[in-house]
Structures are given as C-alpha cells and as structure tokens.
Amino acid sequence: RFEYPKTMLLKNQAHTLFDKGYKFFVLNLAGVRFLDSFGLAVIISLLKECRSRQGNLNVYGMNDTVGRLIEVTRLDRVLDAWETENQALHQVKAV
C-alpha cells in the first residue's frame, strides 16, 4: 500500500490555504526528527509563496538535528525560526 508522504500532504494543504487567501503560516516542527532534501524544498517553496503574497512563514519547535540542518543549508538566514509557538505567533501578530 502506498502512503502519501507527509511533506506532500503539507504542501497540498498549504496551497489549499493559499487559494483561500492565507499568507501567514506558523509551522510546528516539534514532531519532525529529520528533514530530507524534499522536506527542505517544501519549506523553501512555502516560504517563497508566503513572501510572494506579502506574508511570511514562521517555524518553531525544531530539535537539534533539524536545527543543524537548517543552519548547514543556510536556511536560517531567510527562515524565521523560534523556540516556542508563542514566539512564532507573536511575530505573525506583530506584522
């Protein structure tokens, strides 16, 4: 049985929300133990789409492994990453 990858579910759900006019997203990465290149590509794609609509993507809850990967790929220079949900939500409300 084929199981739809969670990254594709995220991408499809986000595009459904984009179609409804949403442009600010807060993504909880607490349950993500590892990101592969496809997962990184989806995050970059979502970030670019948010920004093209004058919105933004905030992430929070990264573990050390995911955080290091974000740093190594230099995604930390463009991605707004926070430790807690409250911090990430506060940044959306401040816009």
Side-chain angles (χ1 to χ4, degrees):
R1 184 184 88 137
F2 177 76
E3 185 175 319
Y4 211 53
K6 288 182 173 101
T7 47
M8 283 304 298
L9 292 172
L10 170 63
K11 186 175 182 178
N12 291 340
Q13 183 62 38
H15 283 283
T16 298
L17 293 171
F18 285 132
D19 291 343
K20 292 180 180 182
Y22 290 89
K23 60 184 180 179
F24 293 97
F25 287 79
V26 175
L27 185 59
N28 178 354
L29 297 177
V32 177
R33 291 177 287 176
F34 175 78
L35 276 177
D36 60 10
S37 59
F38 186 66
L40 286 171
V42 168
I43 289 173
I44 292 167
S45 171
L46 295 178
L47 176 62
K48 288 173 70 176
E49 186 67 26
C50 286
R51 290 192 174 169
S52 76
R53 297 169 182 262
Q54 287 74 51
N56 198 26
L57 172 67
N58 287 287
V59 300
Y60 73 95
M62 293 183 293
N63 66 29
D64 290 339
T65 302
V66 172
R68 279 193 298 275
L69 181 61
I70 296 292
E71 287 176 15
V72 166
T73 58
R74 297 188 176 175
L75 193 53
D76 62 325
R77 295 180 180 190
V78 295
L79 187 64
D80 292 324
W82 306 95
E83 288 185 27
T84 68
E85 180 179 19
N86 284 338
Q87 291 170 327
L89 289 172
H90 181 72
Q91 293 306 311
V92 172
K93 291 178 184 175
V95 172

